[in-house]
Amino acid sequence: MHSDSRLEDRPVASAQDGLPMPSRLALRGITKQYPGCLANDRVDLDIKPGEIHALLGENGAGKSTLMKIIYGLVKPDQGQLYWRGSPMQIADPGHARSLGIGMVFQHFSLFETLSVTENIALALGTPAREMKALSQKIAEVSQKYGMTLNPDRLVHTLSIGERQRVEIVRCLVQDIKLLILDEPTSVLTPQEVETLFITLRQLAKEGCSILFISHKLNEVQALCDGATVLRGGSVSGNCNPQQETPASMARMMVGDDTPIATEYVKVAGGEPFLIVSGLSKTTHDPFGTNLKNIQLQVRSGEIVGVAGVAGNGQEELLAALSGEEPVADGSRIRLSDTAIGRLPPDQRRRLGVAFVPEERLGRGAVPSMSLRENGLLTGFLQGLVKKGMVQSDKTEAFARQIIERFKVKTAGTHSPAKSLSGGNLQKFIIGREILQNPKLLIAAHPTWGVDIGAAVAIHEALIQLRDQGAAILVVSEDIDELFQISDRICAICHGELSPLKATADTTIEQVGRWMAGDFVEDAA
Amino acid sequence: MIKMEPRQESSPWMPYVSPLLAGGLTLITGAILFAALGQDPIFALKTVLITPISDAYGVGELFVKAGPILLCALGLSVAYRANVWNIGAEGQLLMGGLAGSALAVQFTESEGLWLLPAVLFFGIVAGMLWAALAALLKTRFNTNEILTTIMLNYIAFNLLQYCVHGPLKDPHGFNFPESAMFADAARLPLLMEDARVHLGIILALVSAVAVWVLLGKSFLGYQIQVLGRDSRAAKMAGFKEKRLVWLALVLSGGLAGLAGVGEVAGPIGQLVPQISPGYGYAAIIVAFLGRLHPVGVTLASILMALLFMGGEMVQIELNLPLALVGMFQGMLLFYLLACDVLILYRIRWVSKPAVQTA
């Protein structure tokens, strides 16, 4: 089946003539309008019992809204939901749960200081006297589906992968008919992904339907029997992932006019420019990660990628490198021969360091300020300030230059940063840093939540900067991205850095093991 | 059914309409209030808003009162833009008046040209130091500046009472709690023959221009605003947060101190127990009413000065209590905050929710 036939199907399959009975969940003509944004436009969706169905689409395509509708968090403006063949209006998540619909969110909602059992009991409303039985059931369920989990452990001692298991088990201890997973693999190592898939296949075999929301096409291909692709709020195609290629599914996601990822040449780089030697740092954040003896060198003219599951010390490492959290022993971080560990961010910038933070709105850019003012935020060293006064013409020119060079889609330099889409704002921020001709660019999650077109543009800009001789450090959770753009790669786990290897000499499996902290045997 | 709905973008004109709307609603409520008190509402409003400035003396008096309010509100605008909630303009004002008086009473016979600048300087520095206490507590111990500045207000008030009843009391003043009259050389020169309006209003207007340059043109002002809107972005860019907090507090303290010394060296001419009818508190409302912008603040401070005069007028003409001024100030702020919701939200009249039922 392909996108065109789907459109022809619609009048036949719409509500008037009843439904193909076997569907566990069917959506017909679901429409949801937000102010200024049509989040879902006449969306149809069918999931059969025991089917693993993918919901594909870029950020902003309407996936989240649709699943919130299914889970009763959002009411559709129009359209009808059928649960096991009969029309149903899901009032709230409690109602959805009682029907047998479970959901695992991308961001977990667990209490750090409570145990696994207590967390699940809270979610289910279990009375205290049944806690023991619940604890037993959790152990049984986690055993049965190959998800090792100790019901008495406190959540803050669990890894991210284990926390996800808590969320899944929470759904499974009830009588579950449909499990919705929102981007479940984004927080897992490749090995953990494999384990999760085994669990999901087993669940499906027992008749549970699974709605798998993702934008990672190879995973969808490995796991799913059917897929619905959303683009701009409406269904752009249905397919069987087994019969498609990742490229053909990507086309359905982005349309015909957007370039899809290309291969980049790997290079060796020149002299080491950023030199981190034996950097250890104790965090002030009770839930933070201590950095342990970090050794890292980034050469001029190369891109080094740091892989890792979120919360393993990336934030702490980035803050130490950017100068937001200076380190006590300045010589632990050097630019060539200059010790910069104790310097604040602006002085590091003077030495040629540029920084793209993880949060683009509310750190990389001031949401309520115009692009013009946001250009000044880090561009103030580029002659935009004279004798303490802001040179308004130069500031305007700088912002305009960023917008033109990096094709930022916006109404103009007066638009507030918050009015831009994630991808466009990220292009602006990266452009602002690149136009300062940095000798070292540190980028955190540069394409997180960015549409494919913008991601390609950002990658190309980074490669171009690399080829001009800048040292680039990219920290990302997206391992595919790192393999695509980095010349050398390593991973961070529990605040420790794995060995650093040429990307060409390693494999996703090896980096995956590094992400799980297993890098003793690889240490040279 | 009335429904509040978030706007897609914040309204471009609502920030300017909102103060006008708030003013209008305050007038309407005020009229109802007067009617309930058995007064002719139109006449009462006229007594509040028009009678006080119906002659040249009244207009002069308007600027006498607008000056200190403007000075305080300008400083507060800078602080509030940095997300520093200085509520202590009143205390900083009192300390400015106290310190200026302490110098001026030493030289009651002097004719030196240096005296007035020195008195003003003392006042400004005292206001700065009083605010610096809050800055120190905030940057060193992470103390909430709202609490410390309010508490410092009471300390300043009582310190002033002590001094005016004690060390600074005029030895020849028949034991009245007043200082000696200042020498003319310590007084702010008058601008008009028959009114009390003095150089203070000029100083205030010059300060307004300076604050406008600071906020609108300088890199320092830009940093203050980045800090206020998004402290994490300020940190990322390497702006020095503590230094900016100090600057915001010390600057607003200095301006409030100038306002205070301007009162004792201006219309009053000596230190008395009551040198401010709450200008420092009124300035908080003025700062918000004027959208933290020097031009808006200037207009708002004139309106606030008029309310102070109108309050005195209703007391004299209509025999109503002075507390009415407070009522009007409160209503103005209340309506302003309520109307500001419309910057981010709009009101829609919905007939019925359009959700299908199964």
Side-chain angles (χ1 to χ4, degrees), chain B residues 65-77 80 85-95 149-150 153 252-253 255-257 259-260 263 274-288 301 304 308 329 333:
Chain B
K65 290 191 160 43
I69 299 174
L70 176 55
L71 280 169
C72 291
L74 285 169
L76 294 183
S77 304
Y80 295 166
W85 303 107
N86 178 10
I87 309 297
E90 182 75 7
Q92 292 144 18
L93 178 150
L94 295 179
M95 290 308 287
T149 50
I150 290 181
N153 284 347
S252 55
L255 287 171
E263 286 303 285
Q274 201 64 260
I275 63 172
S276 156
Y279 289 146
Y281 293 115
I284 299 169
I285 301 169
V286 167
F288 284 111
S301 60
M304 188 57 74
F308 272 110
Q329 288 180 1
L333 185 63

Side-chain angles (χ1 to χ4, degrees), chain B residues 58-132:
Chain B
V59 174
E61 205 61 10
L62 186 69
F63 289 111
V64 170
K65 290 191 160 43
I69 299 174
L70 176 55
L71 280 169
C72 291
L74 285 169
L76 294 183
S77 304
V78 175
Y80 295 166
R81 291 236 184 177
N83 243 356
V84 172
W85 303 107
N86 178 10
I87 309 297
E90 182 75 7
Q92 292 144 18
L93 178 150
L94 295 179
M95 290 308 287
L98 178 59
S101 305
L103 181 71
V105 293
Q106 313 301 322
F107 301 96
T108 47
E109 303 300 322
S110 169
E111 287 181 10
L113 280 177
W114 58 272
L115 186 56
L116 177 63
V119 167
L120 294 181
F121 177 78
F122 260 59
I124 293 170
V125 170
M128 284 180 167
L129 288 174
W130 208 242

Side-chain angles (χ1 to χ4, degrees), chain A residues 316-335:
Chain A
E316 290 79 4
L317 177 63
L318 287 164
L321 293 179
S322 73
E324 284 160 285
E325 295 291 335
V327 294
D329 181 355
S331 63
R332 297 288 178 199
I333 305 174
R334 284 183 293 139
L335 291 183

Side-chain angles (χ1 to χ4, degrees), chain A residues 184-199:
Chain A
T185 61
S186 61
V187 296
L188 302 179
T189 67
Q191 283 80 3
E192 287 175 316
V193 169
E194 266 314 304
T195 321
L196 172 68
F197 282 7
I198 293 169
T199 304

Side-chain angles (χ1 to χ4, degrees), chain A residues 36 77 89 324-325 345-346 359 362-363 365-369 373 376-377 380 385 388 390, chain B residues 6 8 213 217-219 222 225-226 229-230 232-233 235-240 354-356:
Chain A
D77 297 333
Q89 198 181 24
E324 284 160 285
E325 295 291 335
D346 53 326
E359 304 90 342
R363 191 159 156 221
V366 184
S368 59
M369 281 189 166
E373 292 170 295
L376 184 61
L377 184 63
F380 58 90
V385 177
V390 176
Chain B
Q8 216 179 318
V213 171
K217 302 283 165 194
S218 79
F219 187 52
Y222 171 79
Q225 292 175 70
V226 171
R229 294 191 194 195
D230 186 349
R232 299 192 64 199
K235 192 174 181 192
M236 193 274 301
F239 301 161
K240 309 280 182 291
V355 178
Q356 281 189 2

Side-chain angles (χ1 to χ4, degrees), chain A residues 381-394:
Chain A
L381 294 169
Q382 309 302 309
L384 305 183
V385 177
K386 209 178 264 173
K387 291 185 182 148
M389 291 294 150
V390 176
Q391 307 290 300
S392 60
D393 46 342
K394 285 185 184 161

